[in-house]
Amino acid sequence: METIVVAEDDPSSRELVCEILEAQGYHVVAACNGREALDQIEKIAPDLLVMDIQMPLIGGLVAIERIRQDARFAKLRVLAVTAHAMAGDRERILSSGFDGYVSKPIDAVIFKKSVRDLLQARIPLRN
Ligand SMILES: [Mg+2]
C-alpha cells in the first residue's frame, strides 16, 4: 500500500484531502504545518507528499526548498495543493521543486488523477 503524507493547516481541507485519498486505498498520514510535514517524511518515508503552500511555522515553499536540498528525499514526489491562482504562481511553484500542482477548491477527479500520475511515474518528473 502506498503511503501519502498530507500537509494542510486548514482542518476541513485536510479532512477532505485525507478522505479522498483513503477512499482510494492509500495509507494517509496528516500533518498540520510544514514542520510536521518535514518530521513525518523523515519518519515514515512516504511515496508522496501532498502539501499546501500557505501554512504556519514552515510554509510550503520553505518546506520544499529544504526537501530538495536533502538527499534523503531525492526520490520523494511532492504535489502542491494551493489557493494561489495568480498568473505566474503555477510556474513559481513548479520551479521551486514541486512535481505537480493542483488548485483549490479541489476537484476530486483532477486531484485523484494527479496523485495517480505522480505515484505511477517511474522517474520523478522534476529530474
Ligand atoms: Mg493553508
Side-chain angles (χ1 to χ4, degrees):
M1 188 194 297
E2 284 151 316
T3 299
I4 302 177
V5 169
V6 172
E8 164 66 70
D9 62 310
D10 177 65
S12 57
S13 294
R14 188 171 62 241
E15 203 168 301
L16 172 67
V17 168
C18 289
E19 277 174 9
I20 292 171
L21 295 175
E22 281 164 356
Q24 296 299 108
Y26 300 118
H27 176 231
V28 181
V29 176
C32 301
N33 56 61
R35 184 176 294 160
E36 281 187 22
L38 293 170
D39 288 346
Q40 292 292 359
I41 62 170
E42 189 175 346
K43 204 186 299 176
I44 66 179
D47 300 285
L48 177 71
L49 169 62
V50 173
M51 185 158 65
D52 182 26
I53 298 294
Q54 300 277 10
M55 294 185 291
L57 301 182
I58 295 177
L61 291 173
V62 172
I64 193 68
E65 197 181 330
R66 295 194 189 173
I67 288 166
R68 293 314 180 208
Q69 286 171 348
D70 192 326
R72 291 174 301 170
F73 307 132
K75 289 182 176 171
L76 178 64
R77 286 152 204 165
V78 190
L79 176 64
V81 177
T82 177
H84 282 246
M86 303 291 284
D89 280 348
R90 185 186 177 88
E91 289 67 28
R92 190 165 59 94
I93 286 167
L94 291 177
S95 69
S96 70
F98 285 93
D99 299 295
Y101 171 104
V102 172
S103 56
K104 293 178 189 170
I106 288 176
D107 176 314
V109 174
I110 292 173
F111 177 63
K112 283 185 275 189
K113 185 183 185 313
S114 299
V115 166
R116 220 168 34 237
D117 286 350
L118 279 182
L119 286 172
Q120 287 172 356
R122 289 176 182 273
I123 300 165
L125 306 181
R126 184 174 29 85
N127 292 329

